[in-house]
Amino acid sequence: MKQPLRIAVAQINTTVGDLDGNTAKIIDYIGRAREAGADIVMFPEMATTGYPPEDLLLKNGFVQRNIECLHEIIPATKGIIAAVGFVDQQDDIYNAAAVISNGELMGIHHKWHLPNYGVFDEERYFRSGKETMVFEIDGLIFGVEVCEDSWYPDGPHRIQALAGDAQVILVLNSSPFHAGKWQFREEMIATRASDNACFFVYGNLVGGQDELVFDGHSMVFGPDGRVICRAPAFEESLTLVELDINEVTHERAVQTRYRLETEQINGSIQTIKLTPIAHEARPELPPCLTEPPGRLEEIYKALVLGTRDYVDKNGFKRVELGMSGGIDSALTAVIAADALGTDRVVAVVMPSQYSSEATQSDAVKLAESLGIQHYVIPIQQVYEAYKATLAEACAGAKEGVAEENLQARARGNILMALSNKFGWLVLTTGNKSEIAVGYSTLYGDMAGGFNVLKDVPKTLVYELSHYRNGLGRVIPDSIIERAPSAELRPDQKDVDTLPPYDILDPILHAYVEQDRGVAEIVASGFDEETVRRVVRMVDRNEYKRRQAPPGIKITPKAFGKDRRLPITNKYRE
């Protein structure tokens, strides 16, 4: 090309099923990119539909409307090239990337590698692509692929770069977040860029969708594998980068061409020439190499973004939560306030006869320091009414867990009554450690519409609370320092029922997230009886987790979409 290639990465927040809204956003960002003098603008995987649309893909009307949306986008590409993710339909449906130039659809790439693990089940819906293509414009040759394609060394990029002489590969992504995943992505794309001696432009989706959060963190790598550009994480952006394609040499392609021609390659290659587009003088670009967030920062931002998008995309004006004076409800309230604003969060303090004055005082203090609306609604009368109602049926039976859980269920009923009355979304406050071992009450503290901390272990709850206080102290020290307790009986402590969390959480990590067996966990230094007790609790509480509200995934394996075990299950180690 006669001047550096300018690529705009449109890191947008789409909404699943909002075909018209997503299309309008794509057209808007095409206009922004053109005004910035971009030669090419790229969008995330399945940008027209939002990701993942799941069984909406089984509705032919949905697929057809998404194709109509693509045809509405095409005329908006006057004077620019756009790569747009959508769902194509030919003999079957395909996860696809359309390349559009100057008002013409120039070609469509069908995703080769369909992920079918963890939260992904694309083989349920799509057929794999078998062909790929390269595009040529004014001396630039580039290829396009979709997300998982780039995770395989033999993906379409291999043919595009080494057989097709592509200097730039555009990778359209909707890659969900878990803590530290950006490092794996960067290492992988750096390897692809250096192995294929070309630029890789990795554009990712941003935003929350049910349990998933997409962190953006789009990036560009040079032919030597160095990172050139990194877009901001957890926010929409239009990131522009200039690439000097003279940096690209094809010595490696020439050296390996013979091997490519003589080995069996799964896929064919086409070449499409695009009409050169002349640009006037373009504005200078600011630096685009942002620093990635640290571990606690990225997790906290993911929780804030996931909460905000779940609430807003589902049309809730306000949220409510039970505020106990414990650390879980405190952190949930702070995240909700950061996500939505203090005017959209309501705290309900519901003391019982076992609630300490200190916890109730801290709950009110936190609500007041945050500036959120709060109510104090004692549950003692409701609890006694429940017991009186059940007195005859339960005569002669010893009091115990049933009476403890009546308190949690009374609180759940109060929160749901307020939800029904005012349309508020109930945020539950359980953490991953409690959910794992069943230390929670069905239709009580599990009653609600969304669980912010569902994938956050208890020890991480403490870390995040300290992190948030480091940004501006909001959670009282007394809440953080107090020994955790459900306060459902006199002098109750979590350690009466569970191992200490600094022991419990590593065992849960090994068993739940790493699928390690009892013997392996014991061999790593844990007491055998403790491990067996924890494993038994996890196994027997699958039925509870199946009824829990959705929550934000922040670890490599979360309960729900990630970990799918049968409720009726006789297997035990």
Side-chain angles (χ1 to χ4, degrees), residues 41-120:
V41 58
M42 62 180 292
F43 292 87
E45 175 182 16
M46 295 175 69
T48 56
T49 62
Y51 188 91
E54 301 184 296
D55 279 10
L56 290 175
L57 293 165
L58 304 180
K59 300 178 183 292
N60 187 60
F62 177 81
V63 175
Q64 288 302 310
R65 177 60 191 138
N66 131 92
I67 293 171
E68 291 171 5
C69 288
L70 181 71
H71 286 280
E72 293 172 12
I73 292 166
I74 290 172
T77 62
K78 295 295 183 182
I80 197 169
I81 299 166
V84 180
F86 79 112
V87 179
D88 192 23
Q89 186 172 46
Q90 295 181 13
D91 52 333
D92 206 328
I93 65 171
Y94 297 86
N95 187 337
V99 176
I100 312 162
S101 175
N102 211 24
E104 289 186 62
L105 177 61
M106 304 307 299
I108 297 172
H109 169 77
H110 292 159
K111 186 174 181 178
W112 284 17
H113 295 285
L114 302 177
N116 214 59
Y117 55 85
V119 300
F120 304 106

Side-chain angles (χ1 to χ4, degrees), residues 7-12 29 40-43 201-204 218-220 229 231 237-241:
I7 295 179
V9 182
Q11 184 173 284
I12 61 173
Y29 272 77
I40 299 173
V41 58
M42 62 180 292
F43 292 87
V201 184
Y202 180 100
N204 195 26
S218 301
M219 51 197 169
V220 182
C229 178
S237 66
L238 183 71
T239 299
L240 286 96
V241 60

Side-chain angles (χ1 to χ4, degrees), residues 473-511:
R473 184 164 296 279
V474 287
I475 302 175
D477 291 341
S478 52
I479 289 180
I480 297 175
E481 295 166 0
R482 181 179 297 114
S485 169
E487 291 195 325
L488 298 177
R489 63 174 183 263
D491 301 318
Q492 184 181 23
K493 298 289 185 292
D494 288 6
V495 291
D496 298 340
T497 305
L498 306 175
Y501 287 109
D502 59 353
I503 294 174
L504 175 63
D505 282 355
I507 295 173
L508 292 174
H509 174 74
Y511 186 63

Side-chain angles (χ1 to χ4, degrees), residues 281-489:
R282 300 183 287 189
E284 291 295 318
L285 294 182
C288 66
L289 190 58
T290 62
E291 287 298 316
R295 170 177 165 268
L296 294 178
E297 180 186 1
E298 69 168 346
I299 293 171
Y300 193 84
K301 286 184 173 180
L303 295 171
V304 168
L305 177 58
T307 300
R308 179 188 301 125
D309 274 4
Y310 190 87
V311 173
D312 288 347
K313 290 180 179 181
N314 285 292
F316 290 99
K317 302 300 182 186
R318 303 183 87 185
V319 300
E320 61 166 326
L321 72 154
M323 189 92 88
S324 67
I327 194 167
D328 298 318
S329 61
L331 182 60
T332 300
V334 174
I335 290 171
D338 285 346
L340 306 170
T342 56
D343 60 328
R344 298 178 64 190
V345 182
V346 180
V348 185
V349 183
M350 295 171 283
S352 76
Q353 68 190 85
Y354 303 120
S355 301
S356 70
E357 188 175 322
T359 56
Q360 301 312 292
S361 173
D362 279 345
V364 172
K365 185 189 302 182
L366 175 60
E368 290 175 343
S369 68
L370 282 175
I372 61 177
Q373 183 178 0
H374 68 279
Y375 299 96
V376 178
I377 304 177
I379 66 165
Q380 189 61 34
Q381 285 185 317
V382 178
Y383 174 58
E384 295 297 341
Y386 268 131
K387 289 175 64 178
T389 302
L390 291 167
E392 183 177 348
C394 296
K398 183 180 178 181
E399 287 199 5
V401 173
E403 285 72 22
E404 292 179 23
N405 288 344
L406 278 178
Q407 298 166 71
R409 292 186 176 119
R411 293 180 174 119
N413 277 336
I414 289 169
L415 291 172
M416 290 309 303
L418 294 171
S419 175
N420 289 159
K421 179 65 70 175
F422 301 113
W424 300 338
L425 173 68
V426 178
L427 300 180
T428 62
T429 60
N431 60 66
K432 187 174 189 176
S433 307
E434 295 171 346
I435 292 166
V437 297
Y439 195 61
S440 53
T441 304
L442 274 177
Y443 326 120
D445 54 308
M446 291 178 67
F450 195 66
N451 185 351
V452 176
L453 304 180
K454 183 175 182 177
D455 199 31
V456 180
K458 185 76 169 189
T459 49
L460 182 54
V461 169
Y462 284 100
E463 289 186 82
L464 289 171
S465 298
H466 285 294
Y467 166 78
R468 180 58 181 84
N469 270 1
L471 303 178
R473 184 164 296 279
V474 287
I475 302 175
D477 291 341
S478 52
I479 289 180
I480 297 175
E481 295 166 0
R482 181 179 297 114
S485 169
E487 291 195 325
L488 298 177
R489 63 174 183 263

